[in-house]
Amino acid sequence: MRFFSDNAAAACPQVIEAILAANRLDTAYDGDALSQSLDGRLSELFETEVAALWVPSGTAANCLALAALCPPHGAVVCHADAHIQNDEGGAPEFYTHGAKLLLVEGPGAKLTPDALTARLDRIVDGVHWVQPHAVSITNATEYGLVYTPEEVAAIGAITRARGLGLHMDGARFANAVAHLGCSPAEVTWKAGVDALSFGFIKNGGMSAEALVFFKPELAAATKYRRKRAGLLASKGRFLAAQILAMVEDDLWLANARAANAGAALLARAAGDRLVHPVQANEVFLRASPEEAASLRALGFDFYDWAPGEIRLVTSWDQTEEQIRPLADAIAAL
Protein backbone atom coordinates (compact mmCIF):
# COMPACT_ATOMS: atom_id res chain seq x y z
CA MET A 1 0.00 0.00 0.00
CA ARG A 2 3.08 2.26 0.08
CA PHE A 3 3.82 4.31 -3.02
CA PHE A 4 5.70 7.14 -1.32
CA SER A 5 9.19 6.24 -2.51
CA ASP A 6 11.17 3.37 -3.99
CA ASN A 7 13.73 4.08 -1.26
CA ALA A 8 11.32 2.35 1.11
CA ALA A 9 11.36 -0.93 -0.82
CA ALA A 10 13.10 -4.04 0.45
CA ALA A 11 16.57 -5.03 -0.66
CA CYS A 12 16.31 -7.87 -3.15
CA PRO A 13 17.30 -11.40 -2.06
CA GLN A 14 20.35 -11.59 -4.33
CA VAL A 15 21.80 -8.52 -2.62
CA ILE A 16 21.27 -9.97 0.85
CA GLU A 17 22.86 -13.25 -0.27
CA ALA A 18 25.85 -11.38 -1.69
CA ILE A 19 26.33 -9.49 1.57
CA LEU A 20 26.26 -12.76 3.52
CA ALA A 21 28.75 -14.32 1.11
CA ALA A 22 31.08 -11.35 1.63
CA ASN A 23 30.98 -11.82 5.40
CA ARG A 24 34.46 -13.26 5.64
CA LEU A 25 38.00 -12.10 6.28
CA ASP A 26 39.33 -9.84 3.53
CA THR A 27 41.36 -6.68 3.07
CA ALA A 28 39.89 -3.53 4.60
CA TYR A 29 38.56 -0.40 2.89
CA ASP A 30 38.59 -0.88 -0.91
CA GLY A 31 41.51 -3.26 -1.13
CA ASP A 32 39.36 -6.41 -1.05
CA ALA A 33 38.81 -8.65 -4.06
CA LEU A 34 35.21 -7.53 -4.61
CA SER A 35 36.04 -3.82 -4.61
CA GLN A 36 39.03 -4.42 -6.83
CA SER A 37 36.82 -6.17 -9.40
CA LEU A 38 34.41 -3.26 -9.84
CA ASP A 39 36.44 -1.48 -12.52
CA GLY A 40 36.60 -4.58 -14.68
CA ARG A 41 32.99 -5.63 -14.21
CA LEU A 42 31.53 -2.21 -14.92
CA SER A 43 33.93 -1.73 -17.82
CA GLU A 44 32.35 -4.85 -19.33
CA LEU A 45 28.87 -3.49 -18.70
CA PHE A 46 29.62 -0.11 -20.28
CA GLU A 47 31.82 -1.50 -23.08
CA THR A 48 34.71 0.85 -22.28
CA GLU A 49 37.34 1.32 -19.62
CA VAL A 50 35.86 2.95 -16.52
CA ALA A 51 36.90 3.63 -12.96
CA ALA A 52 34.16 2.69 -10.49
CA LEU A 53 33.95 3.60 -6.81
CA TRP A 54 31.35 2.46 -4.31
CA VAL A 55 29.72 5.04 -2.07
CA PRO A 56 26.93 4.64 0.51
CA SER A 57 24.39 7.09 -0.98
CA GLY A 58 23.23 8.85 -4.10
CA THR A 59 24.08 12.18 -2.50
CA ALA A 60 27.68 11.07 -2.13
CA ALA A 61 27.83 9.77 -5.70
CA ASN A 62 26.42 12.97 -7.17
CA CYS A 63 28.52 15.33 -5.12
CA LEU A 64 31.82 13.52 -5.50
CA ALA A 65 31.22 13.43 -9.25
CA LEU A 66 30.56 17.17 -9.34
CA ALA A 67 33.64 17.86 -7.23
CA ALA A 68 35.71 15.95 -9.79
CA LEU A 69 34.31 18.04 -12.64
CA CYS A 70 34.03 21.51 -11.10
CA PRO A 71 36.48 23.56 -8.99
CA PRO A 72 35.31 25.63 -6.00
CA HIS A 73 35.31 28.85 -8.04
CA GLY A 74 33.23 27.33 -10.85
CA ALA A 75 29.61 26.51 -11.57
CA VAL A 76 27.49 23.50 -12.48
CA VAL A 77 24.56 24.09 -14.81
CA CYS A 78 21.48 22.02 -14.01
CA HIS A 79 17.70 22.11 -14.19
CA ALA A 80 15.88 24.20 -11.62
CA ASP A 81 14.05 21.05 -10.46
CA ALA A 82 17.14 18.83 -10.38
CA HIS A 83 17.67 16.68 -7.30
CA ILE A 84 21.08 18.29 -6.72
CA GLN A 85 19.34 21.66 -6.51
CA ASN A 86 16.24 20.86 -4.46
CA ASP A 87 16.92 17.71 -2.46
CA GLU A 88 20.58 17.43 -1.51
CA GLY A 89 20.57 19.88 1.43
CA GLY A 90 23.39 21.97 -0.02
CA ALA A 91 25.68 18.95 -0.35
CA PRO A 92 26.88 19.81 -3.89
CA GLU A 93 28.09 23.19 -2.69
CA PHE A 94 29.65 21.56 0.38
CA TYR A 95 31.53 18.83 -1.48
CA THR A 96 32.74 21.17 -4.22
CA HIS A 97 33.85 23.69 -1.57
CA GLY A 98 31.50 26.36 -2.84
CA ALA A 99 30.81 25.83 -6.54
CA LYS A 100 27.62 27.52 -7.67
CA LEU A 101 24.60 25.83 -9.27
CA LEU A 102 23.27 27.74 -12.29
CA LEU A 103 19.65 26.88 -12.95
CA VAL A 104 17.79 26.34 -16.22
CA GLU A 105 14.06 25.89 -16.70
CA GLY A 106 12.47 23.29 -18.98
CA PRO A 107 9.47 20.97 -19.20
CA GLY A 108 9.54 17.77 -17.19
CA ALA A 109 12.77 18.76 -15.42
CA LYS A 110 14.73 18.16 -18.65
CA LEU A 111 17.45 20.38 -20.03
CA THR A 112 17.06 21.16 -23.71
CA PRO A 113 19.99 22.13 -25.95
CA ASP A 114 18.41 25.50 -26.72
CA ALA A 115 17.78 26.37 -23.07
CA LEU A 116 21.25 25.21 -22.06
CA THR A 117 22.91 27.21 -24.83
CA ALA A 118 20.91 30.30 -23.96
CA ARG A 119 21.96 30.03 -20.30
CA LEU A 120 25.62 29.54 -21.17
CA ASP A 121 25.59 32.41 -23.64
CA ARG A 122 24.43 34.81 -20.93
CA ILE A 123 27.56 34.21 -18.87
CA VAL A 124 30.14 36.95 -19.31
CA ASP A 125 33.75 35.77 -19.54
CA GLY A 126 35.41 37.66 -16.72
CA VAL A 127 36.56 37.32 -13.13
CA HIS A 128 33.44 39.02 -11.79
CA TRP A 129 31.19 36.23 -13.06
CA VAL A 130 31.28 32.59 -12.02
CA GLN A 131 32.28 30.42 -14.98
CA PRO A 132 30.64 27.09 -15.84
CA HIS A 133 32.75 23.95 -15.62
CA ALA A 134 30.13 21.21 -15.78
CA VAL A 135 26.55 20.37 -16.71
CA SER A 136 24.43 17.89 -14.76
CA ILE A 137 21.39 16.06 -16.12
CA THR A 138 19.16 13.51 -14.40
CA ASN A 139 18.04 10.29 -16.10
CA ALA A 140 15.25 9.58 -15.32
CA THR A 141 14.33 13.12 -14.26
CA GLU A 142 12.58 14.21 -11.09
CA TYR A 143 9.34 13.97 -13.08
CA GLY A 144 10.06 10.49 -14.38
CA LEU A 145 10.98 11.56 -17.92
CA VAL A 146 13.79 9.88 -19.78
CA TYR A 147 16.60 11.34 -21.87
CA THR A 148 17.14 9.36 -25.07
CA PRO A 149 20.69 8.72 -26.31
CA GLU A 150 20.09 11.35 -28.96
CA GLU A 151 19.00 13.93 -26.38
CA VAL A 152 22.02 13.22 -24.21
CA ALA A 153 24.30 13.42 -27.26
CA ALA A 154 22.89 16.85 -28.15
CA ILE A 155 23.79 18.12 -24.69
CA GLY A 156 27.10 16.27 -24.82
CA ALA A 157 28.00 18.05 -28.05
CA ILE A 158 27.48 21.40 -26.32
CA THR A 159 29.57 20.47 -23.30
CA ARG A 160 32.42 19.16 -25.45
CA ALA A 161 32.40 22.26 -27.66
CA ARG A 162 32.66 24.49 -24.59
CA GLY A 163 35.11 22.37 -22.62
CA LEU A 164 32.62 21.44 -19.89
CA GLY A 165 32.22 18.16 -18.03
CA LEU A 166 28.93 16.26 -18.22
CA HIS A 167 27.51 14.48 -15.18
CA MET A 168 24.48 12.21 -15.21
CA ASP A 169 22.53 11.72 -12.00
CA GLY A 170 21.39 8.14 -12.48
CA ALA A 171 19.48 7.49 -9.27
CA ARG A 172 16.91 5.85 -11.55
CA PHE A 173 19.31 5.09 -14.38
CA ALA A 174 18.09 1.49 -14.50
CA ASN A 175 14.51 2.63 -15.05
CA ALA A 176 15.63 4.90 -17.87
CA VAL A 177 17.64 2.18 -19.62
CA ALA A 178 14.80 -0.32 -19.18
CA HIS A 179 12.40 2.13 -20.82
CA LEU A 180 14.78 2.99 -23.66
CA GLY A 181 15.86 -0.55 -24.46
CA CYS A 182 19.33 0.76 -25.34
CA SER A 183 22.71 -0.28 -24.00
CA PRO A 184 24.13 1.56 -20.98
CA ALA A 185 26.96 2.77 -23.20
CA GLU A 186 24.66 4.44 -25.73
CA VAL A 187 23.08 6.78 -23.21
CA THR A 188 26.28 7.59 -21.29
CA TRP A 189 29.85 7.85 -22.57
CA LYS A 190 28.97 7.38 -26.22
CA ALA A 191 26.72 10.42 -25.84
CA GLY A 192 29.37 12.49 -24.02
CA VAL A 193 28.82 11.69 -20.32
CA ASP A 194 31.99 11.92 -18.22
CA ALA A 195 30.67 10.74 -14.85
CA LEU A 196 27.60 8.74 -13.83
CA SER A 197 25.98 8.26 -10.46
CA PHE A 198 24.73 4.70 -10.99
CA GLY A 199 21.84 4.15 -8.62
CA PHE A 200 21.06 0.80 -7.01
CA ILE A 201 19.39 1.62 -3.70
CA LYS A 202 16.05 2.61 -5.27
CA ASN A 203 16.22 -0.51 -7.42
CA GLY A 204 16.77 -3.31 -4.92
CA GLY A 205 20.14 -2.44 -3.43
CA MET A 206 20.56 -1.85 0.28
CA SER A 207 23.30 0.70 0.91
CA ALA A 208 25.54 1.03 -2.13
CA GLU A 209 25.70 3.22 -5.22
CA ALA A 210 28.38 3.25 -7.91
CA LEU A 211 30.24 6.35 -9.05
CA VAL A 212 31.36 5.56 -12.60
CA PHE A 213 34.00 7.68 -14.33
CA PHE A 214 34.23 7.32 -18.10
CA LYS A 215 37.43 9.33 -17.81
CA PRO A 216 39.22 7.02 -15.36
CA GLU A 217 41.77 9.66 -14.45
CA LEU A 218 39.03 11.54 -12.58
CA ALA A 219 38.95 8.78 -9.97
CA ALA A 220 42.42 9.47 -8.56
CA ALA A 221 41.57 12.68 -6.69
CA THR A 222 38.07 11.39 -5.93
CA LYS A 223 39.50 8.60 -3.81
CA TYR A 224 41.04 11.24 -1.54
CA ARG A 225 37.80 13.22 -1.45
CA ARG A 226 35.87 10.09 -0.55
CA LYS A 227 38.19 9.43 2.39
CA ARG A 228 38.19 13.07 3.51
CA ALA A 229 34.40 13.11 3.47
CA GLY A 230 34.19 10.09 5.77
CA LEU A 231 32.75 7.89 3.01
CA LEU A 232 35.52 5.28 2.80
CA ALA A 233 33.84 2.35 4.52
CA SER A 234 36.26 0.13 6.42
CA LYS A 235 34.43 -2.99 5.21
CA GLY A 236 33.85 -1.80 1.68
CA ARG A 237 33.48 -5.33 0.38
CA PHE A 238 29.87 -5.28 1.61
CA LEU A 239 29.12 -2.33 -0.69
CA ALA A 240 30.99 -3.83 -3.62
CA ALA A 241 29.11 -7.09 -3.14
CA GLN A 242 25.78 -5.33 -3.58
CA ILE A 243 26.80 -3.65 -6.83
CA LEU A 244 28.20 -6.85 -8.27
CA ALA A 245 25.04 -8.74 -7.33
CA MET A 246 22.86 -6.13 -9.00
CA VAL A 247 24.72 -6.23 -12.31
CA GLU A 248 24.96 -10.04 -12.32
CA ASP A 249 22.65 -11.46 -15.00
CA ASP A 250 21.23 -7.93 -15.49
CA LEU A 251 19.31 -8.05 -12.22
CA TRP A 252 19.36 -4.23 -12.22
CA LEU A 253 17.40 -4.22 -15.48
CA ALA A 254 14.96 -6.91 -14.43
CA ASN A 255 14.12 -5.00 -11.25
CA ALA A 256 13.71 -1.75 -13.17
CA ARG A 257 11.40 -3.37 -15.72
CA ALA A 258 9.21 -4.64 -12.90
CA ALA A 259 8.98 -1.19 -11.32
CA ASN A 260 8.29 0.44 -14.68
CA ALA A 261 5.53 -2.06 -15.41
CA GLY A 262 3.84 -1.16 -12.14
CA ALA A 263 3.93 2.52 -13.01
CA ALA A 264 2.49 1.79 -16.45
CA LEU A 265 -0.43 0.01 -14.78
CA LEU A 266 -1.18 3.10 -12.71
CA ALA A 267 -0.78 5.34 -15.74
CA ARG A 268 -3.41 3.43 -17.67
CA ALA A 269 -5.82 3.87 -14.78
CA ALA A 270 -5.04 7.58 -14.43
CA GLY A 271 -5.97 8.53 -17.99
CA ASP A 272 -6.15 12.30 -18.48
CA ARG A 273 -5.14 12.90 -14.86
CA LEU A 274 -1.51 12.37 -15.84
CA VAL A 275 0.66 15.46 -15.47
CA HIS A 276 3.63 13.93 -17.33
CA PRO A 277 4.07 10.90 -19.57
CA VAL A 278 5.07 7.84 -17.56
CA GLN A 279 8.44 6.60 -18.77
CA ALA A 280 10.00 5.19 -15.61
CA ASN A 281 8.55 4.26 -12.22
CA GLU A 282 7.09 7.61 -11.15
CA VAL A 283 3.50 8.69 -11.79
CA PHE A 284 2.38 12.28 -11.34
CA LEU A 285 -1.34 12.85 -11.50
CA ARG A 286 -3.90 15.52 -10.80
CA ALA A 287 -5.95 14.96 -7.67
CA SER A 288 -7.81 17.39 -5.48
CA PRO A 289 -7.07 17.40 -1.74
CA GLU A 290 -10.37 15.58 -1.21
CA GLU A 291 -9.47 12.93 -3.76
CA ALA A 292 -6.03 12.47 -2.26
CA ALA A 293 -7.62 12.11 1.17
CA SER A 294 -9.99 9.46 -0.16
CA LEU A 295 -7.05 7.44 -1.48
CA ARG A 296 -5.25 7.73 1.84
CA ALA A 297 -8.41 6.63 3.64
CA LEU A 298 -8.13 3.39 1.69
CA GLY A 299 -4.63 2.89 3.09
CA PHE A 300 -2.48 4.17 0.21
CA ASP A 301 0.63 6.18 1.02
CA PHE A 302 2.07 8.71 -1.44
CA TYR A 303 3.61 12.16 -1.76
CA ASP A 304 1.73 15.44 -2.21
CA TRP A 305 3.88 16.96 -4.94
CA ALA A 306 2.33 20.30 -5.86
CA PRO A 307 -1.07 21.96 -5.41
CA GLY A 308 -3.54 19.57 -6.95
CA GLU A 309 -0.87 17.00 -7.81
CA ILE A 310 0.33 13.78 -6.19
CA ARG A 311 3.30 11.53 -6.90
CA LEU A 312 3.16 7.74 -6.89
CA VAL A 313 6.33 5.65 -7.07
CA THR A 314 6.36 1.92 -7.79
CA SER A 315 9.12 -0.43 -6.67
CA TRP A 316 10.86 -3.50 -8.02
CA ASP A 317 9.14 -5.80 -5.52
CA GLN A 318 5.51 -4.67 -5.95
CA THR A 319 3.42 -7.19 -7.86
CA GLU A 320 0.49 -6.45 -10.12
CA GLU A 321 -1.80 -7.85 -7.44
CA GLN A 322 -0.43 -5.31 -4.97
CA ILE A 323 -0.69 -2.40 -7.39
CA ARG A 324 -4.09 -3.22 -8.92
CA PRO A 325 -6.14 -1.95 -5.91
CA LEU A 326 -4.57 1.49 -6.25
CA ALA A 327 -5.15 1.50 -10.01
CA ASP A 328 -8.80 0.63 -9.43
CA ALA A 329 -9.12 3.35 -6.78
CA ILE A 330 -7.62 5.95 -9.13
CA ALA A 331 -9.93 4.91 -11.95
CA ALA A 332 -12.90 5.29 -9.59
CA LEU A 333 -12.07 8.88 -8.57
Side-chain angles (χ1 to χ4, degrees), residues 44-95:
E44 292 174 4
L45 181 66
F46 286 96
E47 305 172 62
T48 192
E49 182 184 358
V50 307
L53 305 179
W54 45 251
V55 289
S57 71
T59 298
N62 282 333
C63 297
L64 288 174
L66 296 177
L69 297 173
C70 185
H73 61 270
V76 177
V77 182
C78 66
H79 195 278
D81 289 323
H83 197 83
I84 60 171
Q85 161 64 13
N86 293 334
D87 300 280
E88 299 284 29
E93 294 88 341
F94 176 80
Y95 278 85

Side-chain angles (χ1 to χ4, degrees), residues 25 30 52 54 78 85 88 164 168 184 186 215 232 263 270 292 294:
L25 179 66
D30 60 356
W54 45 251
C78 66
Q85 161 64 13
E88 299 284 29
L164 308 176
M168 179 177 285
E186 290 175 290
K215 292 181 177 179
L232 181 62
S294 71

Side-chain angles (χ1 to χ4, degrees), residues 17 70 126 134 154 179 181 189 198 219 288 295 300:
E17 292 167 4
C70 185
H179 172 78
W189 66 271
F198 193 170
S288 69
L295 293 176
F300 300 111

Side-chain angles (χ1 to χ4, degrees), residues 124-145:
V124 178
D125 184 8
V127 297
H128 299 287
W129 299 275
V130 65
Q131 299 299 304
H133 284 258
V135 173
S136 178
I137 60 176
T138 309
N139 207 12
T141 74
E142 291 300 289
Y143 291 98
L145 299 186

Side-chain angles (χ1 to χ4, degrees), residues 14 36 44 187 194 211:
Q14 294 92 328
Q36 291 295 302
E44 292 174 4
V187 75
D194 297 306
L211 174 49

Side-chain angles (χ1 to χ4, degrees), residues 53-308:
L53 305 179
W54 45 251
V55 289
S57 71
T59 298
N62 282 333
C63 297
L64 288 174
L66 296 177
L69 297 173
C70 185
H73 61 270
V76 177
V77 182
C78 66
H79 195 278
D81 289 323
H83 197 83
I84 60 171
Q85 161 64 13
N86 293 334
D87 300 280
E88 299 284 29
E93 294 88 341
F94 176 80
Y95 278 85
T96 58
H97 292 264
K100 185 178 181 64
L101 299 182
L102 298 179
L103 309 182
V104 179
E105 299 288 346
K110 292 177 75 172
L111 287 184
T112 65
D114 288 346
L116 175 60
T117 299
R119 185 67 184 89
L120 292 171
D121 286 346
R122 292 202 304 272
I123 300 171
V124 178
D125 184 8
V127 297
H128 299 287
W129 299 275
V130 65
Q131 299 299 304
H133 284 258
V135 173
S136 178
I137 60 176
T138 309
N139 207 12
T141 74
E142 291 300 289
Y143 291 98
L145 299 186
V146 167
Y147 285 92
T148 67
E150 293 76 18
E151 289 172 324
V152 178
I155 293 173
I158 295 170
T159 59
R160 284 195 300 274
R162 295 178 182 249
L164 308 176
L166 181 55
H167 163 251
M168 179 177 285
D169 177 349
R172 294 186 175 94
F173 180 70
N175 303 94
V177 173
H179 172 78
L180 292 166
C182 66
S183 71
E186 290 175 290
V187 75
T188 54
W189 66 271
K190 287 186 177 181
V193 174
D194 297 306
L196 168 71
S197 308
F198 193 170
F200 294 102
I201 295 173
K202 297 180 189 296
N203 193 36
M206 187 176 76
S207 59
E209 308 276 77
L211 174 49
V212 181
F213 288 114
F214 300 107
K215 292 181 177 179
E217 63 271 18
L218 292 173
T222 303
K223 291 181 179 180
Y224 288 92
R225 292 190 184 98
R226 181 176 64 170
K227 171 62 178 180
R228 187 171 184 263
L231 298 170
L232 181 62
S234 60
K235 296 181 180 178
R237 62 187 180 275
F238 293 108
L239 282 75
Q242 296 175 56
I243 296 169
L244 293 170
M246 289 294 293
V247 299
E248 184 70 24
D249 297 326
D250 285 339
L251 176 62
W252 66 288
L253 280 177
N255 284 358
R257 291 187 185 110
N260 287 5
L265 176 60
L266 295 179
R268 290 191 293 272
D272 59 7
R273 289 181 178 272
L274 289 178
V275 179
H276 302 285
V278 175
Q279 298 176 341
N281 66 321
E282 295 180 282
V283 181
F284 295 83
L285 55 86
R286 299 177 185 87
S288 69
E290 294 75 20
E291 290 171 329
S294 71
L295 293 176
R296 288 193 171 97
L298 295 173
F300 300 111
D301 178 33
F302 49 86
Y303 193 93
D304 288 319
W305 191 258

